[in-house]
Structures are given as C-alpha cells and as structure tokens.
Amino acid sequence: MIRVDPVTLEFNGVRLEPLALHHLDGLRAAAADGELWNLRITSVPAPHETEQYIRAALEMDNRLAFAVIDAASGTVVGSTSYHDIVPAVDRVEIGYTWYAKSRQRSHVNTSCKLLLLSHAFDTLGCLVVGLRTDNFNYASQAAIERLGAKKDGTIRHHAPRRDGTVRDTVMYSILRGEWPEIKSQLHYRLSRHAES
C-alpha cells in the first residue's frame, strides 16, 4: 500500500516543493503572468483568492500540493499536485496543474510530469497514475495525450466550474507496465527541447 509523504523533487532546472503559505506572493505573481484566473476551465486563483487556495490545498486529506519553482532563480512559476490518493489500490492522480503563461510550452510541464510520474511509479510503487481535465480544456487534453496516457472516458456533469456551469471531466491513466516506455519518451522530448 502506497504512502504519500511531503517531499521535494528536483530535475532539469525545476524544483517541486510542498506548497506552503510562504509561496503566497510567488504564486500570486505566477497567476498574474497571463491573468490565468480569467480562464473558466482552470482552477487558478485570482490574486485575492490565492491565500485561500493554498489553505484549501493544505486542508485536503488526499492531496499533496506543490509549488513549481525555477531552481536557478527561486521564482514560483506555478503549482501541481498529487490528489485523489487511494492507497488501497496504489493509485494517485496528478492535477491542479497550472503554470505562468511565460512558462507554458517550455520544458517545465514535461519536467514536472517526469518528476511526479517517476516518484509515483519508481519510489511510491503506484500501479496506476490518473490525470483528468475539463472537457473544454483541449490544450490540457492534448498535453496529457502527448504524455502517453490512455483516455479512460468522460464523467458527465461531474464538477462545478468557477463561472457556475458544470463541467464534464475527461479521465486518463497510465499503468505501471506502460511507464518505462513513457519515461523514455519524456526523456527524449526533453533532449529534443534542449537542442532547439
């Protein structure tokens, strides 16, 4: 049975630190880079909501939230989490993920996913890692599919959006047996990014 404890992970210039209130100003600045809270399909906090966002993440029993840090500068560039942790079936999900607009389409997301997936499969011993997204978040769906995750299906009328509408949730997963090939592909993608 897996046990998910707070941990700091670092790779390829990206550090994941357990989210804490001292990340407040950095998280607020990251969200302001692109005014990401205006996107109805994300959970990015508005500036006045950032402290409550952190507190809510810390209070969730089955979530381990991280601040995504640029290791060289120490700048907070976003957030991601393990969530919906189910030790009885050795499952975690990766989500609540967002990055400052200036860090999108960079090496950051691939590096974070490699860190989180490696820790989940190689250290924690997970048998499956899930990912989910809004049915209208096509960019997120494409990014998850580029990882090599398989689409499990769509849960209709599943969760409220910030604007009061209700989203359908698209569910994906990666099984332990699929991880070695996906890991190789992520390393390959990062090497190609470094060359460009």
Side-chain angles (χ1 to χ4, degrees):
M1 191 176 328
I2 64 167
R3 178 175 161 167
V4 182
D5 293 315
V7 63
T8 297
L9 306 169
E10 188 166 342
F11 168 73
N12 198 34
V14 176
R15 185 170 65 249
L16 300 180
E17 299 177 358
L19 187 63
L21 283 172
H22 71 264
H23 295 117
L24 176 62
D25 291 340
L27 210 62
R28 205 178 266 144
D33 180 353
E35 296 186 358
L36 301 174
W37 60 86
N38 287 321
L39 301 173
R40 69 187 279 264
I41 54 175
T42 70
S43 61
V44 181
H48 67 281
E49 299 170 334
T50 308
E51 182 175 347
Q52 181 52 36
Y53 176 89
I54 293 172
R55 290 187 186 281
L58 297 178
E59 290 169 5
M60 288 177 70
D61 289 335
N62 62 349
R63 180 175 173 190
L64 174 57
F66 296 94
V68 180
I69 311 289
D70 178 281
S73 66
T75 303
V76 177
V77 299
S79 184
T80 191
S81 297
Y82 285 133
H83 66 94
D84 285 81
I85 300 163
V86 188
V89 295
D90 297 321
R91 177 188 173 99
V92 299
E93 291 190 35
I94 296 171
Y96 296 94
T97 301
W98 58 272
Y99 308 106
K101 185 168 178 134
S102 63
R103 302 306 174 108
Q104 295 172 12
R105 300 211 168 268
S106 71
H107 72 287
V108 171
N109 185 52
T110 304
S111 299
C112 285
K113 292 301 188 290
L114 192 50
L115 277 170
L116 292 168
L117 289 166
S118 293
H119 186 68
F121 285 119
D122 301 336
T123 303
L124 299 178
C126 287
L127 298 179
V128 62
V129 174
L131 302 106
R132 63 175 73 180
T133 190
D134 189 293
N135 59 302
F136 285 120
N137 194 340
Y138 302 117
S140 178
Q141 290 174 51
I144 292 169
E145 290 168 12
R146 279 195 305 272
L147 289 174
K150 302 289 188 277
K151 186 175 179 179
D152 296 321
T154 302
I155 303 173
R156 295 172 53 180
H157 201 79
H158 183 240
R161 294 188 186 100
R162 67 173 71 233
D163 66 359
T165 60
V166 180
R167 81 178 199 178
D168 294 348
T169 300
V170 186
M171 303 291 292
Y172 294 86
S173 64
I174 298 170
L175 300 177
R176 184 175 188 71
E178 298 164 344
W179 170 233
E181 179 61 25
I182 289 172
K183 184 177 187 178
S184 295
Q185 181 63 17
L186 291 175
H187 278 289
Y188 174 75
R189 281 174 52 192
L190 285 173
S191 71
R192 298 283 303 203
H193 184 80
E195 292 170 7
S196 56

Coordinates of all heavy atoms in Angstrom, one line a residue, residues 3-94:
R3 N 2.3 5.1 0.4 CA 2.2 6.1 1.4 C 2.8 7.4 0.8 O 4.0 7.4 0.4 CB 2.9 5.7 2.6 CG 2.9 6.8 3.7 CD 3.5 6.3 5.0 NE 3.9 7.4 5.8 CZ 4.3 7.3 7.1 NH1 4.3 6.2 7.6 NH2 4.6 8.4 7.8
V4 N 2.0 8.4 0.6 CA 2.4 9.7 0.0 C 2.8 10.7 1.1 O 1.9 11.2 1.7 CB 1.4 10.2 -1.0 CG1 1.9 11.5 -1.7 CG2 1.0 9.2 -2.0
D5 N 4.0 11.0 1.3 CA 4.5 11.9 2.3 C 5.1 13.2 1.6 O 5.5 13.1 0.4 CB 5.6 11.3 3.2 CG 5.1 10.2 4.0 OD1 4.0 10.4 4.6 OD2 5.8 9.2 4.1
P6 N 5.1 14.3 2.2 CA 5.7 15.5 1.6 C 7.1 15.2 1.2 O 7.9 14.6 2.0 CB 5.6 16.6 2.7 CG 4.4 16.1 3.6 CD 4.5 14.6 3.5
V7 N 7.5 15.7 0.1 CA 8.8 15.5 -0.5 C 9.2 16.7 -1.4 O 8.3 17.3 -2.0 CB 8.9 14.1 -1.2 CG1 8.0 14.1 -2.4 CG2 10.3 13.8 -1.6
T8 N 10.4 17.0 -1.5 CA 10.9 18.0 -2.5 C 11.6 17.2 -3.6 O 12.4 16.3 -3.4 CB 11.9 19.0 -1.9 OG1 11.2 19.7 -0.9 CG2 12.4 19.9 -2.9
L9 N 11.2 17.5 -4.9 CA 11.7 16.8 -6.0 C 12.4 17.9 -6.9 O 11.9 19.0 -7.1 CB 10.6 16.1 -6.8 CG 9.8 15.1 -6.0 CD1 8.5 14.7 -6.8 CD2 10.6 13.9 -5.6
E10 N 13.5 17.5 -7.6 CA 14.2 18.5 -8.4 C 14.8 17.8 -9.6 O 15.4 16.7 -9.5 CB 15.3 19.2 -7.7 CG 15.9 20.4 -8.5 CD 16.7 21.3 -7.6 OE1 16.5 21.4 -6.4 OE2 17.5 22.1 -8.2
F11 N 14.7 18.4 -10.8 CA 15.2 17.8 -12.0 C 15.1 18.9 -13.1 O 14.1 19.6 -13.2 CB 14.4 16.6 -12.4 CG 14.6 16.1 -13.8 CD1 15.8 15.4 -14.1 CD2 13.7 16.3 -14.9 CE1 16.1 15.0 -15.4 CE2 14.0 15.8 -16.1 CZ 15.1 15.2 -16.4
N12 N 16.2 19.0 -13.9 CA 16.2 19.8 -15.2 C 15.8 21.2 -14.9 O 15.1 21.9 -15.7 CB 15.2 19.1 -16.2 CG 15.4 19.6 -17.6 OD1 16.6 19.9 -18.0 ND2 14.4 19.7 -18.4
G13 N 16.3 21.8 -13.8 CA 16.0 23.2 -13.5 C 14.7 23.5 -12.9 O 14.3 24.7 -12.7
V14 N 13.9 22.5 -12.5 CA 12.6 22.6 -11.9 C 12.6 21.9 -10.6 O 13.1 20.8 -10.4 CB 11.5 22.0 -12.8 CG1 10.2 22.1 -12.1 CG2 11.5 22.7 -14.2
R15 N 12.1 22.6 -9.6 CA 12.0 22.1 -8.2 C 10.5 22.1 -7.8 O 9.8 23.1 -8.0 CB 12.9 22.9 -7.2 CG 12.9 22.2 -5.8 CD 13.9 22.9 -4.9 NE 13.6 24.3 -4.6 CZ 14.4 25.3 -5.1 NH1 15.4 25.1 -5.9 NH2 14.0 26.6 -4.8
L16 N 10.1 21.0 -7.3 CA 8.7 20.9 -6.7 C 8.9 20.9 -5.2 O 9.5 19.9 -4.6 CB 8.0 19.6 -7.2 CG 7.8 19.5 -8.7 CD1 7.1 18.2 -9.0 CD2 7.1 20.7 -9.2
E17 N 8.4 21.9 -4.5 CA 8.4 22.0 -3.1 C 7.0 21.8 -2.5 O 6.0 22.4 -3.2 CB 8.9 23.3 -2.6 CG 10.3 23.7 -3.0 CD 10.7 25.1 -2.6 OE1 9.9 25.8 -2.0 OE2 11.9 25.5 -2.8
P18 N 6.8 21.1 -1.4 CA 5.4 21.1 -0.8 C 4.9 22.5 -0.7 O 5.6 23.4 -0.1 CB 5.6 20.4 0.5 CG 6.8 19.5 0.3 CD 7.7 20.3 -0.6
L19 N 3.7 22.8 -1.2 CA 3.1 24.1 -1.1 C 2.9 24.6 0.3 O 2.5 23.8 1.2 CB 1.8 24.1 -1.9 CG 1.1 25.4 -2.1 CD1 1.9 26.3 -3.0 CD2 -0.3 25.2 -2.7
A20 N 3.3 25.8 0.5 CA 3.1 26.4 1.9 C 2.8 27.9 1.7 O 2.9 28.5 0.7 CB 4.5 26.3 2.6
L21 N 2.4 28.5 2.8 CA 2.0 29.9 2.8 C 3.1 30.8 2.4 O 2.8 31.9 1.9 CB 1.4 30.3 4.2 CG -0.1 29.8 4.4 CD1 -0.5 30.1 5.8 CD2 -1.0 30.4 3.4
H22 N 4.3 30.4 2.6 CA 5.4 31.3 2.2 C 5.6 31.4 0.7 O 6.3 32.3 0.2 CB 6.8 30.9 2.9 CG 7.4 29.7 2.3 ND1 7.2 28.5 3.0 CD2 8.1 29.4 1.3 CE1 7.8 27.5 2.3 NE2 8.4 28.1 1.3
H23 N 4.8 30.6 -0.1 CA 4.8 30.7 -1.5 C 3.7 31.6 -2.0 O 3.6 31.8 -3.2 CB 4.5 29.3 -2.1 CG 5.6 28.3 -1.9 ND1 5.4 27.1 -1.2 CD2 6.9 28.3 -2.3 CE1 6.5 26.4 -1.1 NE2 7.4 27.1 -1.8
L24 N 3.0 32.3 -1.1 CA 1.9 33.1 -1.5 C 2.2 34.2 -2.5 O 1.5 34.2 -3.6 CB 1.3 33.8 -0.2 CG 0.1 34.7 -0.4 CD1 -1.1 34.1 -1.0 CD2 -0.3 35.4 0.9
D25 N 3.2 35.0 -2.3 CA 3.5 36.1 -3.2 C 3.9 35.6 -4.5 O 3.6 36.1 -5.6 CB 4.5 37.0 -2.6 CG 4.0 37.9 -1.4 OD1 2.8 38.0 -1.3 OD2 4.8 38.3 -0.6
G26 N 4.8 34.5 -4.5 CA 5.2 33.9 -5.8 C 4.1 33.3 -6.6 O 4.1 33.4 -7.8
L27 N 3.2 32.6 -5.9 CA 2.0 32.0 -6.6 C 1.1 33.1 -7.2 O 0.7 33.0 -8.3 CB 1.3 31.1 -5.6 CG 0.6 29.9 -6.2 CD1 1.5 29.0 -6.8 CD2 -0.3 29.2 -5.1
R28 N 1.0 34.2 -6.4 CA 0.1 35.3 -6.9 C 0.8 35.9 -8.2 O 0.1 36.1 -9.2 CB 0.1 36.3 -5.8 CG -1.2 37.2 -5.9 CD -1.2 38.2 -4.7 NE -2.0 37.7 -3.6 CZ -1.7 37.9 -2.4 NH1 -0.6 38.6 -2.0 NH2 -2.5 37.4 -1.4
A29 N 2.1 36.0 -8.2 CA 2.8 36.6 -9.4 C 2.7 35.6 -10.5 O 2.5 36.1 -11.7 CB 4.2 36.9 -9.0
A30 N 2.8 34.4 -10.3 CA 2.7 33.4 -11.4 C 1.4 33.4 -12.0 O 1.3 33.4 -13.3 CB 3.1 32.0 -10.9
A31 N 0.3 33.5 -11.2 CA -1.0 33.5 -11.8 C -1.3 34.8 -12.6 O -2.0 34.9 -13.6 CB -2.1 33.4 -10.7
A32 N -0.6 35.9 -12.1 CA -0.8 37.2 -12.8 C -0.1 37.2 -14.2 O -0.5 38.0 -15.0 CB -0.2 38.3 -11.9
D33 N 0.8 36.4 -14.4 CA 1.5 36.2 -15.7 C 0.6 35.6 -16.6 O 0.5 34.3 -16.8 CB 2.8 35.4 -15.5 CG 3.6 35.2 -16.8 OD1 3.1 35.6 -17.8 OD2 4.7 34.6 -16.7
G34 N -0.3 36.4 -17.3 CA -1.3 35.9 -18.2 C -2.7 36.0 -17.6 O -3.6 35.6 -18.3
E35 N -2.8 36.5 -16.4 CA -4.1 36.6 -15.8 C -4.9 35.3 -15.9 O -6.1 35.3 -16.4 CB -4.9 37.8 -16.3 CG -4.3 39.1 -16.1 CD -5.1 40.3 -16.5 OE1 -6.2 40.1 -17.1 OE2 -4.7 41.4 -16.2
L36 N -4.3 34.2 -15.5 CA -4.8 32.9 -15.7 C -6.2 32.6 -15.0 O -6.9 31.7 -15.4 CB -3.8 31.9 -15.3 CG -2.4 32.0 -16.0 CD1 -1.4 31.0 -15.4 CD2 -2.6 31.7 -17.5
W37 N -6.5 33.4 -14.0 CA -7.7 33.2 -13.3 C -8.9 33.5 -14.2 O -10.1 33.1 -13.8 CB -7.8 34.0 -12.0 CG -7.6 35.4 -12.2 CD1 -8.6 36.3 -12.5 CD2 -6.4 36.2 -12.2 NE1 -8.1 37.6 -12.6 CE2 -6.8 37.5 -12.4 CE3 -5.1 35.9 -11.9 CZ2 -5.8 38.6 -12.5 CZ3 -4.1 36.9 -12.0 CH2 -4.5 38.2 -12.3
N38 N -8.7 34.2 -15.3 CA -9.8 34.5 -16.2 C -10.2 33.4 -17.1 O -11.3 33.5 -17.8 CB -9.5 35.8 -17.0 CG -9.4 37.0 -16.2 OD1 -10.3 37.2 -15.3 ND2 -8.5 37.9 -16.5
L39 N -9.5 32.3 -17.1 CA -9.8 31.2 -17.9 C -10.8 30.3 -17.1 O -10.6 29.8 -16.0 CB -8.6 30.3 -18.2 CG -7.5 31.0 -19.0 CD1 -6.3 30.1 -19.1 CD2 -8.0 31.4 -20.4
R40 N -12.0 30.1 -17.6 CA -13.1 29.4 -16.9 C -12.8 28.0 -16.7 O -13.5 27.3 -15.9 CB -14.4 29.7 -17.6 CG -14.6 29.0 -18.9 CD -15.9 29.4 -19.7 NE -17.0 28.7 -19.2 CZ -17.5 27.6 -19.8 NH1 -16.9 27.1 -20.9 NH2 -18.6 27.0 -19.3
I41 N -11.9 27.4 -17.4 CA -11.7 26.0 -17.4 C -10.5 25.6 -16.5 O -10.0 24.4 -16.5 CB -11.4 25.4 -18.8 CG1 -10.3 26.2 -19.5 CG2 -12.8 25.5 -19.6 CD1 -10.0 25.6 -20.9
T42 N -10.0 26.5 -15.7 CA -8.9 26.2 -14.8 C -9.2 26.5 -13.4 O -10.2 27.2 -13.1 CB -7.6 27.0 -15.2 OG1 -7.8 28.4 -14.9 CG2 -7.2 26.9 -16.7
S43 N -8.4 26.1 -12.5 CA -8.6 26.4 -11.0 C -7.6 27.4 -10.5 O -7.4 27.5 -9.3 CB -8.5 25.1 -10.2 OG -7.2 24.5 -10.4
V44 N -7.0 28.2 -11.4 CA -6.0 29.2 -11.0 C -6.7 30.2 -10.1 O -7.7 30.8 -10.5 CB -5.3 29.8 -12.2 CG1 -4.3 30.8 -11.8 CG2 -4.7 28.7 -13.1
P45 N -6.1 30.6 -9.0 CA -6.7 31.5 -8.1 C -6.5 33.0 -8.6 O -5.4 33.3 -9.1 CB -6.0 31.3 -6.8 CG -4.6 30.8 -7.2 CD -4.9 30.0 -8.4
A46 N -7.5 33.8 -8.4 CA -7.4 35.2 -8.6 C -6.5 35.8 -7.4 O -6.3 35.1 -6.4 CB -8.7 35.9 -8.6
P47 N -5.9 37.0 -7.6 CA -4.9 37.5 -6.6 C -5.5 37.4 -5.2 O -4.9 37.0 -4.2 CB -4.6 38.9 -7.0 CG -4.8 38.8 -8.5 CD -5.9 37.9 -8.8
H48 N -6.8 37.9 -5.0 CA -7.3 37.9 -3.7 C -7.8 36.6 -3.1 O -8.1 36.4 -2.0 CB -8.6 38.9 -3.7 CG -9.7 38.4 -4.5 ND1 -9.7 38.5 -5.9 CD2 -10.9 37.8 -4.1 CE1 -10.9 38.0 -6.3 NE2 -11.6 37.6 -5.3
E49 N -7.7 35.5 -4.0 CA -8.1 34.2 -3.6 C -6.9 33.3 -3.3 O -7.1 32.1 -2.9 CB -8.9 33.5 -4.7 CG -10.2 34.2 -5.1 CD -10.8 33.7 -6.3 OE1 -10.1 33.1 -7.2 OE2 -12.1 33.8 -6.5
T50 N -5.7 33.8 -3.5 CA -4.5 32.9 -3.5 C -4.2 32.3 -2.1 O -3.9 31.1 -2.0 CB -3.3 33.7 -4.0 OG1 -3.6 34.3 -5.3 CG2 -2.1 32.7 -4.2
E51 N -4.4 33.1 -1.1 CA -4.1 32.6 0.3 C -5.2 31.4 0.6 O -4.8 30.4 1.1 CB -4.2 33.6 1.3 CG -3.9 33.1 2.7 CD -3.9 34.2 3.8 OE1 -3.8 35.4 3.5 OE2 -3.9 33.8 5.0
Q52 N -6.4 31.7 0.2 CA -7.4 30.6 0.5 C -7.2 29.4 -0.4 O -7.4 28.3 0.1 CB -8.8 31.2 0.2 CG -9.9 30.2 0.5 CD -9.9 29.5 1.8 OE1 -9.5 30.1 2.8 NE2 -10.2 28.2 1.9
Y53 N -6.7 29.6 -1.6 CA -6.3 28.5 -2.5 C -5.3 27.6 -1.8 O -5.4 26.4 -1.8 CB -5.8 29.1 -3.8 CG -5.3 28.0 -4.8 CD1 -6.2 27.5 -5.7 CD2 -3.9 27.7 -4.9 CE1 -5.7 26.5 -6.6 CE2 -3.5 26.7 -5.8 CZ -4.4 26.2 -6.7 OH -3.9 25.3 -7.6
I54 N -4.2 28.2 -1.2 CA -3.2 27.5 -0.6 C -3.7 26.8 0.7 O -3.5 25.6 0.9 CB -2.0 28.4 -0.2 CG1 -1.3 28.9 -1.4 CG2 -1.0 27.7 0.7 CD1 -0.3 30.0 -1.2
R55 N -4.5 27.5 1.5 CA -5.1 26.9 2.7 C -6.0 25.7 2.3 O -5.9 24.7 3.0 CB -5.8 27.9 3.5 CG -4.9 29.0 4.2 CD -5.7 29.9 5.1 NE -4.9 30.9 5.6 CZ -4.0 30.8 6.6 NH1 -3.8 29.7 7.2 NH2 -3.3 31.9 7.0
A56 N -6.8 25.8 1.3 CA -7.7 24.7 0.9 C -6.9 23.5 0.4 O -7.2 22.4 0.8 CB -8.6 25.2 -0.2
A57 N -5.8 23.8 -0.3 CA -5.0 22.7 -0.8 C -4.3 21.9 0.4 O -4.2 20.7 0.4 CB -3.9 23.2 -1.7
L58 N -3.9 22.7 1.4 CA -3.2 22.1 2.6 C -4.2 21.3 3.5 O -3.8 20.4 4.2 CB -2.5 23.2 3.4 CG -1.4 23.9 2.7 CD1 -0.8 25.0 3.6 CD2 -0.3 23.0 2.2
E59 N -5.5 21.7 3.4 CA -6.5 21.1 4.3 C -7.1 19.8 3.7 O -7.7 19.0 4.4 CB -7.6 22.1 4.6 CG -7.2 23.2 5.5 CD -8.2 24.3 5.6 OE1 -9.4 24.2 5.0 OE2 -7.9 25.3 6.2
M60 N -6.9 19.6 2.4 CA -7.4 18.4 1.7 C -6.6 17.1 2.2 O -5.4 17.1 2.1 CB -7.3 18.5 0.2 CG -8.3 19.5 -0.3 SD -8.2 19.7 -2.1 CE -8.8 18.1 -2.7
D61 N -7.4 16.1 2.7 CA -6.7 14.9 3.2 C -6.0 14.1 2.1 O -5.0 13.5 2.4 CB -7.8 14.0 3.9 CG -8.3 14.6 5.2 OD1 -7.6 15.4 5.8 OD2 -9.4 14.3 5.5
N62 N -6.5 14.1 0.9 CA -6.0 13.2 -0.1 C -5.3 14.0 -1.2 O -5.4 13.6 -2.4 CB -7.0 12.2 -0.6 CG -8.2 13.0 -1.3 OD1 -8.3 14.2 -1.2 ND2 -9.0 12.2 -2.0
R63 N -4.6 15.1 -0.8 CA -3.9 15.9 -1.8 C -2.5 16.3 -1.2 O -2.4 16.7 0.0 CB -4.7 17.1 -2.1 CG -4.1 18.1 -3.1 CD -5.0 19.2 -3.5 NE -4.3 20.2 -4.4 CZ -4.9 21.4 -4.7 NH1 -6.0 21.7 -4.2 NH2 -4.2 22.2 -5.4
L64 N -1.5 16.3 -2.0 CA -0.2 16.8 -1.7 C 0.1 17.8 -2.8 O 0.4 17.5 -3.9 CB 0.9 15.7 -1.7 CG 2.3 16.2 -1.5 CD1 2.5 17.0 -0.2 CD2 3.3 15.0 -1.5
A65 N 0.0 19.1 -2.5 CA 0.2 20.2 -3.4 C 1.6 20.6 -3.4 O 2.3 20.6 -2.4 CB -0.7 21.3 -3.1
F66 N 2.1 21.0 -4.6 CA 3.5 21.5 -4.7 C 3.5 22.9 -5.3 O 2.6 23.2 -6.2 CB 4.3 20.6 -5.7 CG 4.5 19.2 -5.2 CD1 3.6 18.2 -5.6 CD2 5.6 18.9 -4.5 CE1 3.8 16.9 -5.2 CE2 5.8 17.6 -4.1 CZ 4.9 16.6 -4.4
A67 N 4.5 23.7 -5.0 CA 4.8 24.9 -5.7 C 5.9 24.5 -6.7 O 6.8 23.7 -6.4 CB 5.4 26.0 -4.8
V68 N 5.7 25.0 -8.0 CA 6.7 24.7 -9.0 C 7.6 25.9 -9.0 O 7.2 27.0 -9.2 CB 6.0 24.5 -10.4 CG1 7.0 24.2 -11.5 CG2 4.9 23.4 -10.3
I69 N 8.9 25.6 -8.8 CA 9.9 26.6 -8.7 C 11.0 26.5 -9.8 O 11.4 25.4 -10.1 CB 10.7 26.4 -7.3 CG1 9.7 26.2 -6.2 CG2 11.7 27.5 -7.1 CD1 8.9 27.4 -5.8
D70 N 11.3 27.6 -10.4 CA 12.5 27.7 -11.2 C 13.7 27.6 -10.3 O 14.0 28.5 -9.5 CB 12.5 29.0 -12.0 CG 13.8 29.1 -12.9 OD1 14.8 29.5 -12.4 OD2 13.6 28.9 -14.1
A71 N 14.5 26.5 -10.4 CA 15.5 26.2 -9.5 C 16.6 27.3 -9.5 O 17.2 27.6 -8.5 CB 16.1 24.8 -9.7
A72 N 16.9 27.8 -10.7 CA 18.0 28.8 -10.8 C 17.7 30.1 -10.1 O 18.5 30.7 -9.4 CB 18.4 29.0 -12.2
S73 N 16.5 30.6 -10.3 CA 16.1 31.9 -9.7 C 15.3 31.8 -8.4 O 15.2 32.8 -7.7 CB 15.3 32.7 -10.7 OG 14.0 32.0 -10.9
G74 N 14.7 30.7 -8.1 CA 13.9 30.6 -7.0 C 12.5 31.1 -7.2 O 11.7 31.2 -6.2
T75 N 12.1 31.5 -8.4 CA 10.9 32.0 -8.7 C 9.8 30.9 -8.8 O 10.0 29.9 -9.4 CB 10.9 32.7 -10.1 OG1 12.0 33.7 -10.1 CG2 9.6 33.4 -10.5
V76 N 8.6 31.2 -8.2 CA 7.5 30.3 -8.3 C 6.9 30.5 -9.7 O 6.6 31.6 -10.1 CB 6.4 30.6 -7.2 CG1 5.2 29.7 -7.4 CG2 7.0 30.5 -5.8
V77 N 6.7 29.4 -10.4 CA 6.2 29.5 -11.8 C 4.8 28.8 -12.0 O 4.3 28.7 -13.0 CB 7.2 29.0 -12.8 CG1 8.5 29.9 -12.8 CG2 7.5 27.5 -12.6
G78 N 4.3 28.2 -10.9 CA 3.0 27.5 -11.0 C 2.8 26.6 -9.8 O 3.5 26.7 -8.8
S79 N 1.9 25.6 -10.0 CA 1.6 24.7 -9.0 C 1.1 23.4 -9.6 O 0.5 23.4 -10.7 CB 0.5 25.3 -8.0 OG 0.2 24.4 -7.0
T80 N 1.2 22.3 -8.9 CA 0.7 21.0 -9.3 C 0.5 20.1 -8.1 O 1.0 20.5 -7.0 CB 1.7 20.3 -10.3 OG1 1.1 19.2 -10.9 CG2 3.0 19.9 -9.7
S81 N -0.1 19.0 -8.2 CA -0.5 18.2 -7.0 C -0.6 16.7 -7.4 O -0.9 16.4 -8.5 CB -1.9 18.6 -6.5 OG -1.9 20.0 -6.0
Y82 N -0.3 15.9 -6.3 CA -0.9 14.6 -6.3 C -2.2 14.8 -5.6 O -2.4 15.5 -4.6 CB 0.0 13.7 -5.4 CG 1.3 13.2 -6.0 CD1 2.4 13.2 -5.2 CD2 1.3 12.6 -7.3 CE1 3.6 12.7 -5.7 CE2 2.5 12.2 -7.8 CZ 3.7 12.2 -7.0 OH 4.9 11.7 -7.5
H83 N -3.3 14.1 -6.1 CA -4.6 14.2 -5.4 C -5.4 12.9 -5.7 O -4.9 12.0 -6.4 CB -5.3 15.4 -6.0 CG -5.7 15.3 -7.4 ND1 -7.0 14.8 -7.8 CD2 -5.0 15.6 -8.5 CE1 -7.0 14.9 -9.1 NE2 -5.9 15.3 -9.6
D84 N -6.5 12.8 -5.0 CA -7.3 11.6 -5.1 C -6.4 10.4 -4.9 O -6.5 9.4 -5.7 CB -8.1 11.6 -6.4 CG -9.3 12.5 -6.4 OD1 -9.1 13.7 -6.6 OD2 -10.4 12.1 -6.1
I85 N -5.7 10.5 -3.8 CA -4.7 9.4 -3.5 C -5.5 8.2 -2.8 O -6.3 8.4 -1.9 CB -3.7 9.9 -2.5 CG1 -2.9 11.1 -3.1 CG2 -2.8 8.8 -2.0 CD1 -2.1 12.0 -2.2
V86 N -5.4 7.0 -3.4 CA -6.1 5.9 -2.9 C -5.1 4.8 -2.6 O -4.8 3.9 -3.5 CB -7.1 5.4 -4.0 CG1 -8.0 4.2 -3.4 CG2 -8.0 6.5 -4.5
P87 N -4.5 4.8 -1.4 CA -3.5 3.8 -1.0 C -4.0 2.4 -1.2 O -3.1 1.5 -1.6 CB -3.2 4.1 0.5 CG -3.6 5.6 0.6 CD -4.8 5.8 -0.3
A88 N -5.2 2.1 -1.0 CA -5.7 0.7 -1.0 C -5.5 0.1 -2.4 O -5.4 -1.2 -2.5 CB -7.2 0.6 -0.6
V89 N -5.5 0.9 -3.5 CA -5.3 0.4 -4.8 C -4.0 0.9 -5.5 O -3.8 0.8 -6.7 CB -6.5 0.6 -5.7 CG1 -7.7 -0.2 -5.2 CG2 -6.8 2.1 -5.9
D90 N -3.1 1.5 -4.6 CA -1.9 2.1 -5.1 C -2.0 3.0 -6.3 O -1.4 2.9 -7.3 CB -0.9 0.9 -5.5 CG -0.6 0.0 -4.3 OD1 -0.4 0.6 -3.2 OD2 -0.5 -1.2 -4.4
R91 N -2.9 4.0 -6.1 CA -3.3 5.0 -7.1 C -3.1 6.4 -6.6 O -3.6 6.7 -5.5 CB -4.7 4.7 -7.6 CG -5.2 5.7 -8.7 CD -6.7 5.6 -9.0 NE -7.1 6.6 -9.9 CZ -7.3 6.5 -11.2 NH1 -7.0 5.4 -11.8 NH2 -7.7 7.5 -11.9
V92 N -2.6 7.2 -7.5 CA -2.6 8.7 -7.3 C -3.1 9.3 -8.6 O -3.0 8.7 -9.6 CB -1.3 9.3 -6.8 CG1 -0.8 8.7 -5.5 CG2 -0.2 9.2 -7.9
E93 N -3.5 10.5 -8.5 CA -3.7 11.3 -9.7 C -2.8 12.6 -9.6 O -2.4 13.0 -8.6 CB -5.2 11.8 -9.8 CG -6.1 10.6 -10.1 CD -7.6 11.1 -10.4 OE1 -7.7 12.1 -11.1 OE2 -8.5 10.4 -10.1
I94 N -2.5 13.0 -10.8 CA -1.7 14.3 -10.9 C -2.6 15.3 -11.5 O -3.3 15.1 -12.5 CB -0.5 14.1 -11.8 CG1 0.5 13.1 -11.2 CG2 0.2 15.4 -12.1 CD1 1.6 12.7 -12.2

